[in-house]
Amino acid sequence: MLDKSIIERFKNIVGEKNVETSSMSLHSYSYDATPGFRKTPDIVIAPHNTEEIAEIVKICNDHKIPLTPRGSGTNLSAGTTPLKGGVVLLFKLLNNILEIDDQNLTVTVQPGVVTKSLIEKVEAKGLLYPPDPSSMNISTIGGNINENSGGLRGLKYGVTRDYVLGLTIVLPNGDIIKTGGKLAKDVAGYDLTRLFVGSEGTLGIITEAILKLVPMPEYKKTMLATYEDIDDAAKTVSAIIENRIIPATLEFLDQPTVEVVEEYNQIGLPTDAKAILLIEQDGPESVVNKDIDKIAEICKELHAVTVSVAKNEQEATALTTARRSALSTIARLRPTTFLEDATVPRSQVAPMVKEINRIAEKYNVKICTFGHAGDGNLHPTVPTDVRDKEEYHRVEQAFAEIFEKAVELGGTITGEHGVGAMKAPFLKLKLGEEGVRALKNIKQSFDPNNIMNPGKMFFEDDEKGE
């Protein structure tokens, strides 16, 4: 419980209407999209600008009050759950696109800007912001930066960190720093911009970002390939890359995923297929046509049952929209849904999918697997019921083994969702004790009082909160 005098100081900074302390409001911000994690904060604050955030942070640091930055709450690793109580910081008032710079091909934004809104704004000017997480309809740029979000276009275009040129950051002591800028080159000192991208709010508060844009591709085509054998689908992924073709999108869905996606979207996906690949290429029309023809040839050589190209933009959009809906459609099956993002080298996609299926059978749980096959980022997803303690325990065991297998195959425990609290127990599996110690040293140097999103990244016994 915060002292009333501190609450009054917060109200004086942001205004009384931007401070929430009612039990209903506090409950609303006690959890995110991750099942099984919840903790009620002491207060919710919505600042207007960087300077107000700096004042809030100084108070938190002086009084050792935990502070959790929060966007839209779509986090899938309990990264925005206030596990130590304290302050939840909202960015709903910092939601402006400040500038689109046509000369430098940059856009300057505040952290509360919704990702899809940004994408649409720059596309209207013939430009592209490529990172496109499936949550882009509601996720915010601040959350994308803190988690280093990926998306369907990650294979060809990269992930969020590849588009962050500069940041304005409030450090845990209240200092305001600016990193990077509208620059193609900058090697002045340590690369703090890259350090803060993917830091999950544990090192400071990002209040503004300069993002790189690229020209819109002039043409694109979308195709669908179906398979009776998951191995053939996975081999196709590797073969496409071996042929020096980098598609804009190269997505994988297994049969259980296709069944639930088709039931909801009704667009004619083949539910009898053991796996499907959704492939999109963009660029100059002649190059796209050449690539799509070659990809179709590769698919057929590797025993695709059907290969079809979308006849028009409407049909192509329906396919990509259906893929983006995979999580929400699976979530309709049971009261609780666990979505993970174990990632392996492209060459290990087939072995990893086989292992996921073996693990599902071993622990008697239903696992739907889909994901960005082109970059090895798979999303094994389990519909379950957190109230069924015995089944929940089996789900936890299954994911623990999936993480172990991913690392064994040369992969990682998370490709785009972040460590948060959910995967903190497995960080050592990927980095080793020495690696985790190095990260803790960085955290300690920036945040000696451990006020910034405590309970995340590093495992603690009480990480689930209430």
Side-chain angles (χ1 to χ4, degrees), residues 423-443:
K423 278 175 279 207
F426 304 100
L427 186 61
K428 186 169 68 172
L429 185 68
K430 170 60 179 172
L431 299 181
E433 290 185 9
E434 297 82 3
V436 173
R437 191 181 309 122
L439 293 190
K440 285 183 175 179
N441 288 338
I442 294 171
K443 166 73 169 172

Side-chain angles (χ1 to χ4, degrees), residues 23-95:
S23 57
M24 181 173 69
S25 293
L26 298 181
H27 175 74
S28 297
Y29 297 103
S30 67
Y31 58 92
D32 57 20
T34 316
F37 292 81
R38 190 186 74 207
K39 178 72 176 181
T40 304
D42 296 297
I43 191 170
V44 178
I45 305 174
H48 297 83
N49 52 50
T50 299
E51 291 70 29
E52 287 184 357
I53 292 173
E55 290 187 60
I56 293 164
V57 169
K58 285 177 183 176
I59 293 172
C60 289
N61 196 47
D62 289 344
H63 296 274
K64 296 182 173 57
I65 300 168
L67 195 158
T68 303
R70 180 187 175 101
S72 297
T74 58
N75 189 279
L76 291 164
S77 60
T80 53
T81 303
L83 297 177
K84 305 298 180 182
V87 174
V88 165
L89 201 65
L90 300 184
F91 299 95
K92 63 182 182 180
L93 303 178
L94 286 96
N95 61 349

Side-chain angles (χ1 to χ4, degrees), residues 89-107:
L89 201 65
L90 300 184
F91 299 95
K92 63 182 182 180
L93 303 178
L94 286 96
N95 61 349
N96 297 302
I97 297 174
L98 302 176
E99 178 195 43
I100 299 176
D101 185 337
D102 295 289
Q103 291 185 321
N104 289 301
L105 293 185
T106 64
V107 58

Side-chain angles (χ1 to χ4, degrees), residues 8-34:
E8 286 303 313
R9 290 177 68 184
F10 287 142
K11 288 180 179 178
N12 289 336
I13 294 169
V14 301
E16 187 168 353
K17 68 178 182 179
N18 295 313
V19 174
E20 300 179 39
T21 56
S22 71
S23 57
M24 181 173 69
S25 293
L26 298 181
H27 175 74
S28 297
Y29 297 103
S30 67
Y31 58 92
D32 57 20
T34 316

Side-chain angles (χ1 to χ4, degrees), residues 128-145:
L128 179 68
Y129 176 70
D132 59 340
S134 293
S135 60
M136 66 181 187
N137 288 341
I138 49 175
S139 66
T140 60
I141 290 297
N144 292 174
I145 293 171

Side-chain angles (χ1 to χ4, degrees), residues 375-436:
D375 55 28
N377 186 193
L378 298 173
H379 295 308
T381 305
V382 177
T384 183
D385 188 339
V386 73
R387 296 167 297 184
D388 185 334
K389 301 301 182 186
E390 189 274 333
E391 182 179 70
Y392 179 52
H393 178 61
R394 283 188 279 113
V395 171
E396 289 186 312
Q397 288 178 304
F399 277 126
E401 193 163 330
I402 286 172
F403 295 145
E404 290 172 2
K405 182 54 65 173
V407 172
E408 183 183 316
L409 291 173
T412 183
I413 62 172
T414 176
E416 58 187 3
H417 294 169
V419 177
M422 188 174 194
K423 278 175 279 207
F426 304 100
L427 186 61
K428 186 169 68 172
L429 185 68
K430 170 60 179 172
L431 299 181
E433 290 185 9
E434 297 82 3
V436 173

